[in-house]
Amino acid sequence: MCTPNGVQSGKRKHRFPHKYHRDGTIVTTHALPNSVEAAGASEPKLLDRVRDRIRRLGYSRRTELSYVGWIKRFIVFHGKRHPSELGKADVEAFLTYLASSRNVAASTQNLALSSILFLYREVLECPLPWLTDVTRAKKPARLPTVLNRQEIQTLLTKLDDPLLDLVVRLLYGTGMRLLEGLRLRVKDIDFVRREIVIRDGKGGKDRVTMLPESLADRLKAHIRVVKAQHDADLAQGRGEVWLPGALAVKYPKAPWDWGWQYVFPATGFSVDPRSGAVRRHHVDEKRVQRAVRLAGQAAGIAKPVSPHALRHSFATHLLESGYDIRTVQELLGHSDVSTTMIYTHVLNKGGRGVRSPLDG
């Protein structure tokens, strides 16, 4: 049974077994005992129930790791007490600790809260009224980092790896998020219509963006190399790729089909942490992030350079060229045009907006 208020008695010293960067990512993690995994629950263990529920709802592997991690920290913070014994005050104490003592960002604090609410609503099935009353941290309004056209051109010249150069140019030329680009399948590129279909983007939505004319021939040549690699994998009894949802069950032969293969496959094979299957995954996103960061440093760009800054630059440069904001909204996949409007604030700064009185 879930208690309605989770009132605690006595003072207790909270010990948090993690060290964090300012953004809330873990620097070091100490192993948690088996009793924490159980957290007072009978078999199956509580965290196993969390994992099972996440997978049945079709959430991603990243969401699973994040939610399980935050739920672990919440339990340890409260002395390994079972969450059913805790309440609103305990949740807010944990969030306050993150904000005041760990100095995590508002987005990280909200992620922790989402993980805890998922535990109560989806796993413990506690219909507690206070769940909706817990206040989320307000995200500060910030302008995106945008590279000007000259900075983009200089950045691209500093990418030495031909594969990563192609990936980065495609990200900037289409406005795709990093993982949207790396998860791109062969079947979703239409060279005749010069368009790319982005499947299962943020929020599980599909959308269409353009295929840059300047990359078409180079992308065709790259795909021919990938096809030869896939044929070699098939000859060795491999060639399987991960498919989302239950597609692999509905279409048993699809994981080996050419159209489902990643456009940017990894150089080696890896083990699926959920199923244990050995497959060729896509290029590691950290490899692209590191290459973009180092290229930005080599180009002498003082701004923080990341793959997502390329997406911001894509949107801003389209608006600068006079394209309608609704068109840019569709290309980016934003549900609300107000999200796209942030780029108009970038346009209104500097030389394209108000003229300084000093220049009068």
Side-chain angles (χ1 to χ4, degrees), residues 19-316:
K19 294 183 179 179
Y20 286 82
H21 289 299
R22 287 180 62 86
D23 63 356
T25 57
I26 300 176
V27 179
T28 57
T29 305
H30 301 290
L32 296 175
N34 293 332
S35 59
V36 177
E37 278 279 336
S42 58
E43 294 296 336
K45 296 177 181 178
L46 178 61
L47 295 182
D48 288 337
R49 291 169 57 194
V50 173
R51 295 185 185 98
D52 180 65
R53 183 60 178 164
I54 288 174
R55 295 176 187 182
R56 281 191 285 124
L57 291 175
Y59 288 9
S60 69
R61 166 76 174 167
R62 290 170 176 269
T63 301
E64 176 184 328
L65 294 175
S66 179
Y67 276 22
V68 170
W70 281 114
I71 292 170
K72 272 186 181 181
R73 294 164 213 158
F74 175 64
I75 293 172
V76 173
F77 177 77
H78 286 294
K80 305 175 187 176
R81 295 174 62 193
H82 195 278
S84 62
E85 302 174 5
L86 307 175
K88 179 181 178 182
D90 303 288
V91 174
E92 292 184 335
F94 178 64
L95 298 178
T96 301
Y97 176 79
L98 293 179
S100 60
S101 300
R102 292 296 172 182
N103 198 26
V104 302
S107 58
T108 304
Q109 192 178 3
N110 285 331
L111 176 58
L113 175 58
S114 297
S115 306
I116 296 170
L117 296 186
F118 179 87
L119 169 67
Y120 281 103
R121 288 172 174 162
E122 299 292 340
V123 181
L124 298 179
E125 298 181 349
C126 295
L128 301 181
W130 55 262
L131 285 175
T132 57
D133 296 334
V134 178
T135 305
R136 291 183 177 270
K138 293 184 178 180
K139 296 182 180 179
R142 303 201 183 277
L143 293 176
T145 298
V146 175
L147 307 181
N148 59 48
R149 295 175 188 270
Q150 182 59 48
E151 289 172 331
I152 288 289
Q153 293 303 321
T154 307
L155 175 72
L156 295 177
T157 62
K158 301 300 181 181
L159 292 164
D160 299 328
D161 189 317
L163 173 62
L164 298 184
D165 177 76
L166 178 59
V167 172
V168 171
R169 287 177 184 270
L170 192 64
L171 293 179
Y172 169 64
T174 61
M176 287 189 289
R177 298 176 179 88
L178 174 57
L179 283 177
E180 289 174 344
L182 295 181
R183 291 171 177 168
L184 192 62
R185 310 279 181 153
V186 173
K187 67 181 182 62
D188 294 324
I189 299 180
D190 191 329
F191 288 99
V192 176
R193 294 174 58 88
R194 287 292 193 266
E195 66 182 26
I196 296 175
V197 180
I198 301 170
R199 306 285 184 183
D200 197 23
K202 189 174 182 179
K205 297 177 294 185
D206 295 352
R207 72 179 191 276
V208 177
T209 188
M210 79 286 285
L211 170 62
E213 293 279 351
S214 59
L215 289 181
D217 291 340
R218 186 176 171 188
L219 196 56
K220 285 181 180 179
H222 168 75
I223 289 178
R224 285 195 292 269
V225 174
V226 175
K227 178 67 164 63
Q229 177 181 266
H230 177 59
D231 290 341
D233 289 345
L234 290 175
Q236 297 175 5
R238 296 184 180 272
E240 180 186 4
V241 71
W242 175 83
L243 294 186
L247 285 175
V249 177
K250 187 175 182 180
Y251 306 106
K253 296 183 180 180
W256 290 268
D257 287 348
W258 165 235
W260 280 103
Q261 302 303 308
Y262 288 119
V263 175
F264 300 108
T267 55
F269 295 93
S270 58
V271 179
D272 188 314
R274 286 183 173 179
S275 66
V278 178
R279 305 187 182 102
R280 192 184 293 276
H281 202 48
H282 58 67
V283 170
D284 188 353
E285 64 271 23
K286 293 180 181 178
R287 182 182 170 190
V288 181
Q289 292 168 339
R290 182 175 183 273
V292 172
R293 186 181 70 252
L294 294 178
Q297 294 173 358
I301 301 174
K303 303 171 186 176
V305 182
S306 68
H308 208 68
L310 301 174
R311 176 176 163 86
H312 295 322
S313 304
F314 164 86
T316 305

Side-chain angles (χ1 to χ4, degrees), residues 317-337:
H317 296 166
L318 284 182
L319 292 174
E320 285 178 350
S321 300
Y323 287 97
D324 181 77
I325 193 168
R326 292 287 184 179
T327 300
V328 178
Q329 175 193 357
E330 291 182 7
L331 291 173
L332 294 176
H334 290 161
S335 299
D336 195 331
V337 72

